Amino acid sequence: MDHKILQTTRELIEEVGYQALTVDQVAARAGVGKAAIYRRYASKAEMAFAATAHGQWPPPLADTGSLHGDLLALVRTFHAPMAAPAARHLVPALISELAGSPELDARFQDTFLAAEQSGFAEIIERAVARGDLPGPVDPAIAHLLLLGPLATALYIHNVPVDDAMLADLATAAAAGIAALADQRHNDLGRPR
């Protein structure tokens, strides 16, 4: 049932746009009751985000043997749903909606973003265990370093994002995360 709801949501966003999308439309086309949708998603915005930009979380978190490789695998996983037409219709409107609703913003922070950041925490923990990093960094910062530029490229600059750009984003994010870990490690080692 979840797959049918999410697929129908994507189709309707592409057909009518996010603003005109209603839960009633999704329920009717998916052949489910509105109550079934609201048991899974607290709002139209949450349903639409789950169906488009967020994709199926958690994705398999590849252990490639390096921080860069893990970040590249992750950004490749995020790229496809984020670049899809439905997500490109949704995300700009959703950003505006989040800015105007502290409740909706808090719900997104506690669900989608917390889940994504836990994936980044796992990647960072593996990198520390392998010796790629001298210590941990805030997963929220790692999240911003990798997915913030991807979102900016797709939704603000509207540039085509190919695999070469994804590799560059992973390289930049890995370098930034390593620099933060080094700085934190050096700060902790200094006498006070």
Side-chain angles (χ1 to χ4, degrees):
M1 182 182 312
D2 282 340
H3 175 73
K4 183 80 170 158
I5 291 168
L6 297 177
Q7 179 63 36
T8 301
T9 301
R10 280 189 294 275
E11 291 169 2
L12 284 167
I13 290 171
E14 289 179 22
E15 290 171 24
V16 303
Y18 173 69
Q19 298 296 348
L21 176 74
T22 67
V23 173
D24 287 329
Q25 291 169 324
V26 174
R29 187 181 286 186
V32 300
K34 279 175 53 175
I37 292 173
Y38 283 119
R39 277 194 297 275
R40 290 163 176 76
Y41 309 103
S43 66
K44 172 182 106 167
E46 187 175 323
M47 175 185 68
F49 190 71
T52 59
H54 197 262
Q56 297 299 314
W57 188 268
L61 295 174
D63 186 349
T64 65
S66 73
L67 175 62
H68 176 268
D70 289 357
L71 293 174
L72 180 56
L74 188 60
V75 78
R76 284 176 173 155
T77 298
F78 271 93
H79 176 250
M82 288 176 68
R88 294 176 77 100
H89 288 292
L90 166 73
V91 172
L94 182 59
I95 290 169
S96 176
E97 221 172 295
L98 290 170
S101 172
E103 285 180 357
L104 183 60
D105 183 59
R107 175 97 173 131
F108 270 72
Q109 295 292 329
D110 294 342
T111 56
F112 297 116
L113 295 180
E116 290 175 10
Q117 289 169 9
S118 72
F120 277 88
E122 183 179 327
I123 288 170
I124 290 165
E125 287 169 13
R126 287 194 311 235
V128 171
R130 281 193 300 262
D132 291 350
L133 298 173
V137 299
D138 183 350
I141 298 296
H143 184 257
L144 288 170
L145 287 171
L146 183 64
L147 297 183
L150 177 60
T152 299
L154 292 170
Y155 307 131
I156 296 173
H157 292 284
N158 294 307
V159 296
V161 176
D162 59 11
D163 200 60
M165 182 183 286
L166 295 177
D168 287 347
L169 293 176
T171 299
I177 291 167
L180 288 170
D182 287 342
Q183 181 63 47
R184 183 164 188 231
H185 180 73
N186 291 338
D187 287 349
L188 291 174
R190 286 190 192 132
R192 300 200 180 221

